[in-house]
Amino acid sequence: IRESLQVVRSRDPRIHRMPFLDASHKLSGKKEGGGGSDYHALGAMEVICSSMAKTLQTALHPPDWLQGNYMAVRYEDLVVEPIKTLRQVYGFVNLAVSPEMEKFALNMTSGPGYSSKPFVVSARNATQALSAWRTALSYQQIKQVEEYCQQPMALLGYEKVSSPEDVKDLSRTLLRKPRL
């Protein structure tokens, strides 16, 4: 709650919306407790996504001083194509990627590490984290995130889910090319 409150306190009072989920909904999925923590988590999500939307809009329509000086990198791109993405990032800052760095990137994103808990993954199995939200969150929770984060999600190329079955179909990617 403390961390969410810190984020919520930075909120622009003009952007506050009431959560569209019913009052009994708990983000944590627990039947008891939660209460204010869910409200604060929703507020924090609203602030974070609003801030991200502003940042991405600036990147889409950069002022002169920012043109050519900004690169957006999605976590998923780094995990799915670590060498290609690493080379793009290094190239952006005019550096060459060493073979050791490429090996490190591969190890950190697709090595043999494993954790059975969603979002608690070792540094060597980042591919598991890509879809962890699809098994850990309810459809209702996902729709809540999509509501608050629709603009940054659209700019970054994240598709919305259309049904609970859509969420669970891990063979279907929910990524498309970002607009940045």
Side-chain angles (χ1 to χ4, degrees), residues 62-80:
D64 291 341
W65 62 268
L66 187 58
Q67 288 184 15
N69 294 314
Y70 181 90
M71 178 183 190
V73 180
R74 294 186 305 188
Y75 174 75
E76 293 84 356
D77 296 330
L78 186 58
V79 170
V80 172

Side-chain angles (χ1 to χ4, degrees), residues 36 60 71 120 122 127:
L60 259 181
M71 178 183 190
V120 181
S122 72
T127 53

Side-chain angles (χ1 to χ4, degrees), residues 53-105:
K54 289 177 187 173
T55 299
L56 293 170
Q57 282 298 328
T58 300
L60 259 181
H61 308 288
D64 291 341
W65 62 268
L66 187 58
Q67 288 184 15
N69 294 314
Y70 181 90
M71 178 183 190
V73 180
R74 294 186 305 188
Y75 174 75
E76 293 84 356
D77 296 330
L78 186 58
V79 170
V80 172
E81 297 183 294
I83 301 301
K84 177 183 175 186
T85 307
L86 187 65
R87 287 177 179 168
Q88 288 172 338
V89 170
Y90 269 60
F92 184 77
V93 294
N94 297 316
L95 294 174
V97 181
S98 69
E100 293 83 11
M101 183 55 76
E102 289 181 353
K103 183 178 177 183
F104 175 78

